[in-house]
Amino acid sequence: MSELLNKAREYESQNVVKIPWEERPVFHFSVPTGWINDPNGFSDFRGEHHLFFQYYPYETAWNSMHWGHASSTDFVCWKYLPAALAPDETYDGAGVFSGSALEDGERQVLIYTGVEEYTEENGEKKIRQNQCIAIGDGRDYIKSRENPVITAELLPAGSSREDFRDPKIWKEDGRYYVVAGSRNGDGSGQIVLFYSDDLKSWNFGSILDRSQNKLGRMWECPDFFPMGSKRVLMISPQEMQADGLLFHNGNNVAFLIGDYCKETLRFCRQEVQCVDYGLDFYAPQTMQSQDGRRIMIGWMQSWDNPIYPTEHLWSGMMTIPRELTMRNGRILQKPVRELEAYRKNEAAYSNVAVEKETILENVRGRSVDLELAVKGQEYGKFRIRLASDKKHYSEIIYDREDGILTFDRTHSGLTKDVLCSRSMRVDSPSHELRLRILLDRYSVEIFANEGENVMTSLIYTPQTAQDIIFSCSGKAYMDVKKYEIEVGK
Ligand code: FRU
């Protein structure tokens, strides 16, 4: 094992215990110690779910990237494993960037981006991003002697040598395939596909899709998977400009839905869907579970508005893993069903008339799974205040006439002038709005109408703010089911 990896493993084992359990989210994955961003290598191996992640153990800020590692049997309760990869080779010394994993018989194959920094003859510093392989047993990994195995030299002429990253691997009919993010000669993103029979020698296959400067600039963290009769190319584009409520400025995530021809390796995009409308969601990745479900997990933080408290010894969480399904051409997201096993203390109410502020007995807390149906045509705006006390609250506001749902964390206890609010279109067919809200110590995930539209945002409100308050203008009726989520230490 390299000195760098050993150092990271020792550091994390000594420091993970310094973070009090009460300071961590209850049911969302959080970094052992230090910093995380993107989920990597989300996949099964030897009957367990594995999650790797972009990781800097030593500080709560992005720095020289490692891969951290954890496993789970149910997507909710995670066990930390020793860091998997460190930037300890010339070809990855400037960072072991995002990538993916594959169960390949007895071995677990990791593929990641090695970032190399070098100095040109004129003294100018340059970087190269190439794709590298490491093979292991679910705990320890050996980097391939052939690394880097996919170099930017294989890309079509004009493509950037610097922006070429985040390989996602799968195996189909005995052949390995990889998609990766790349920058086209026009300066904007493209997703390139490669194939190989032995993981060592790779061929360029096709450009699956490209931005043409219409859907943001660089495209990061691609994933490519079947959904029903369609194929989905999921991308994380940078530098987008707001498009109504559909996309916001900066980093976004989109499902590109279309048809794929395996023989010609061509993808034909038909639809573009925004994946998450919230303030804190980026770089998701999917896997297929043993029982055939397509499950997605994302990084629950924003590059442009990182709001984590400076006194924390950790920074970075993942969303709840979400099951993806397709209905009428749209992809729906639902929290993994395994979460239901952690529900405690049910409180259920039906047909509660809401006119003024309404508080329901036992509907409160900071680790809550809340199901809500709001009915009627005689109200204008329906409001839910979460994590509320005399001073704080975060609010969900549904404007029935406009069909717009807004999340606002202005009063959540922030002391910096960061972005606080986002909105999304939510129709309420048959005059019924259905919401599922997952509230954890530091986050709010809102799933509207069976997960047709989803919104993920962070709040760092003091944990003593526990109230949930409903109100509306006019009169609405609501059914409420509330569960506490409890996950053991
Ligand atoms: C996305 C990203 C990836 C890259 C990684 C580096 O958030 O920029 O493209 O591999 O983070 O940490």
Side-chain angles (χ1 to χ4, degrees):
M1 192 193 322
S2 74
E3 228 174 274
L4 263 188
L5 186 60
N6 195 31
K7 183 175 155 210
R9 286 183 170 193
E10 280 192 2
Y11 185 87
E12 61 186 3
S13 68
Q14 285 160 15
N15 285 274
V16 66
V17 292
K18 294 187 185 156
I19 300 167
W21 179 81
E22 298 73 29
E23 218 186 68
R24 287 185 177 276
V26 176
F27 60 99
H28 287 83
F29 178 81
S30 61
V31 60
T33 179
W35 162 277
I36 54 171
N37 50 286
D38 316 355
N40 295 155
F42 187 43
S43 59
D44 275 350
F45 183 63
R46 295 186 185 158
E48 291 199 340
H49 314 311
H50 283 251
L51 177 67
F52 301 82
F53 40 89
Q54 288 289 278
Y55 184 34
Y56 187 67
Y58 309 109
E59 273 172 37
T60 55
W62 189 89
N63 205 313
S64 166
M65 280 292 108
H66 295 54
W67 270 33
H69 190 190
S71 70
S72 168
T73 51
D74 67 0
F75 294 112
V76 180
C77 192
W78 292 92
K79 183 170 93 197
Y80 293 128
L81 295 171
L85 301 172
D88 47 19
E89 297 286 345
T90 322
Y91 57 77
D92 64 17
V96 173
F97 274 19
S98 283
S100 53
L102 172 75
E103 176 160 31
D104 194 28
E106 279 303 299
R107 57 188 192 164
Q108 192 176 33
V109 176
L110 310 184
I111 183 161
Y112 67 93
T113 301
V115 184
E116 178 174 2
E117 195 179 75
Y118 65 97
T119 313
E120 295 220 309
E121 272 172 21
N122 62 6
E124 210 185 315
K125 283 216 183 324
K126 281 266 171 76
I127 63 154
R128 284 271 187 276
Q129 298 187 336
N130 293 308
Q131 317 321 322
C132 307
I133 295 265
I135 290 178
D137 58 1
R139 188 192 152 96
D140 298 305
Y141 301 87
I142 295 173
K143 293 179 181 173
S144 165
R145 263 190 273 152
E146 277 81 15
N147 279 343
V149 292
I150 311 179
T151 64
E153 273 69 46
L154 292 176
L155 290 170
S159 306
S160 161
R161 310 269 135 159
E162 296 191 4
D163 287 314
F164 175 36
R165 57 183 176 268
D166 311 334
K168 172 75 199 251
I169 191 169
W170 75 99
K171 200 173 182 180
E172 207 168 326
D173 305 329
R175 182 165 261 191
Y176 302 97
Y177 293 88
V178 155
V179 286
S182 158
R183 196 189 284 276
N184 187 275
D186 69 8
S188 71
Q190 61 188 6
I191 301 302
V192 284
L193 183 147
F194 299 87
Y195 60 92
S196 167
D197 290 323
D198 59 6
L199 294 173
K200 293 174 186 158
S201 147
W202 289 84
N203 303 287
F204 173 79
S206 64
I207 296 178
L208 274 186
D209 200 352
R210 46 188 282 228
S211 164
Q212 297 181 293
N213 280 304
K214 290 185 189 131
L215 261 183
R217 297 281 284 174
M218 175 62 187
W219 284 4
E220 303 186 309
C221 303
D223 199 339
F224 193 48
F225 53 88
M227 269 266 98
S229 60
K230 294 287 166 194
R231 196 86 176 201
V232 181
L233 180 59
M234 184 169 72
I235 53 165
S236 294
Q238 296 180 312
E239 293 180 64
M240 279 186 78
Q241 290 193 355
D243 175 7
L245 293 179
L246 200 57
F247 291 107
H248 52 82
N249 295 330
N251 291 5
N252 281 259
V253 184
F255 291 130
L256 311 181
I257 306 168
D259 289 324
Y260 175 59
C261 172
K262 270 197 216 174
E263 284 68 43
T264 58
L265 308 178
R266 298 284 156 197
F267 173 72
C268 174
R269 184 205 311 173
Q270 288 145 352
E271 294 292 334
V272 178
Q273 185 184 330
C274 169
V275 177
D276 192 298
Y277 292 85
L279 293 153
D280 298 283
F281 181 84
Y282 195 58
Q285 203 174 73
T286 75
M287 58 164 277
Q288 192 173 27
S289 61
Q290 301 295 320
D291 55 8
R293 286 175 292 161
R294 178 61 54 178
I295 299 177
M296 177 180 79
I297 192 166
W299 178 41
M300 197 155 60
Q301 191 153 291
S302 147
W303 281 119
D304 289 335
N305 293 279
I307 63 160
Y308 56 94
T310 44
E311 68 273 16
H312 276 184
L313 297 172
W314 61 276
S315 165
M317 290 175 269
M318 301 298 176
T319 64
I320 192 77
R322 301 169 183 174
E323 297 178 14
L324 304 184
T325 51
M326 199 159 211
R327 188 173 74 191
N328 302 331
R330 270 189 82 77
I331 295 174
L332 310 188
Q333 301 172 47
K334 242 185 173 179
V336 274
R337 61 195 67 170
E338 285 86 342
L339 184 64
E340 288 157 33
Y342 294 89
R343 286 172 159 180
K344 301 267 150 61
N345 299 334
E346 177 181 335
Y349 295 85
S350 57
N351 259 336
V352 181
V354 182
E355 283 174 285
K356 47 186 188 341
E357 286 201 349
T358 305
I359 294 178
L360 300 173
E361 202 187 322
N362 202 15
V363 178
R364 63 195 312 278
R366 287 296 288 276
S367 175
V368 170
D369 186 347
L370 191 68
E371 287 177 355
L372 206 69
V374 182
K375 298 172 284 187
Q377 283 177 273
E378 288 163 34
Y379 72 95
K381 285 187 179 154
F382 188 89
R383 294 168 188 271
I384 311 159
R385 288 192 171 181
L386 304 162
S388 173
D389 62 11
K390 285 209 175 82
K391 198 164 161 198
H392 308 100
Y393 61 88
S394 289
E395 197 162 44
I396 298 168
I397 307 142
Y398 182 59
D399 185 323
R400 188 184 59 82
E401 272 151 24
D402 292 348
I404 289 177
L405 186 136
T406 300
F407 175 79
D408 187 344
R409 66 179 177 197
T410 307
H411 300 98
S412 66
L414 287 160
T415 52
K416 290 219 167 62
D417 187 19
V418 293
L419 213 59
C420 281
S421 172
R422 285 264 165 79
S423 297
M424 63 181 178
R425 264 215 79 81
V426 174
D427 296 322
S428 45
S430 341
H431 312 294
E432 183 167 315
L433 166 73
R434 300 175 72 85
L435 297 179
R436 172 131 178 234
I437 302 165
L438 296 186
L439 175 67
D440 201 340
R441 286 186 177 132
Y442 309 111
S443 61
V444 184
E445 286 166 284
I446 306 165
F447 300 83
N449 292 337
E450 276 77 48
E452 234 173 42
N453 296 298
V454 183
M455 219 182 209
T456 302
S457 308
L458 294 178
I459 52 167
Y460 285 98
T461 312
Q463 298 305 313
T464 43
Q466 300 254 333
D467 291 339
I468 298 177
I469 304 167
F470 306 93
S471 68
C472 81
S473 55
K475 189 174 188 178
Y477 292 88
M478 64 174 184
D479 300 335
V480 180
K481 261 196 191 159
K482 169 254 154 186
Y483 306 88
E484 222 169 283
I485 299 288
E486 245 179 63
V487 181
K489 283 190 197 188

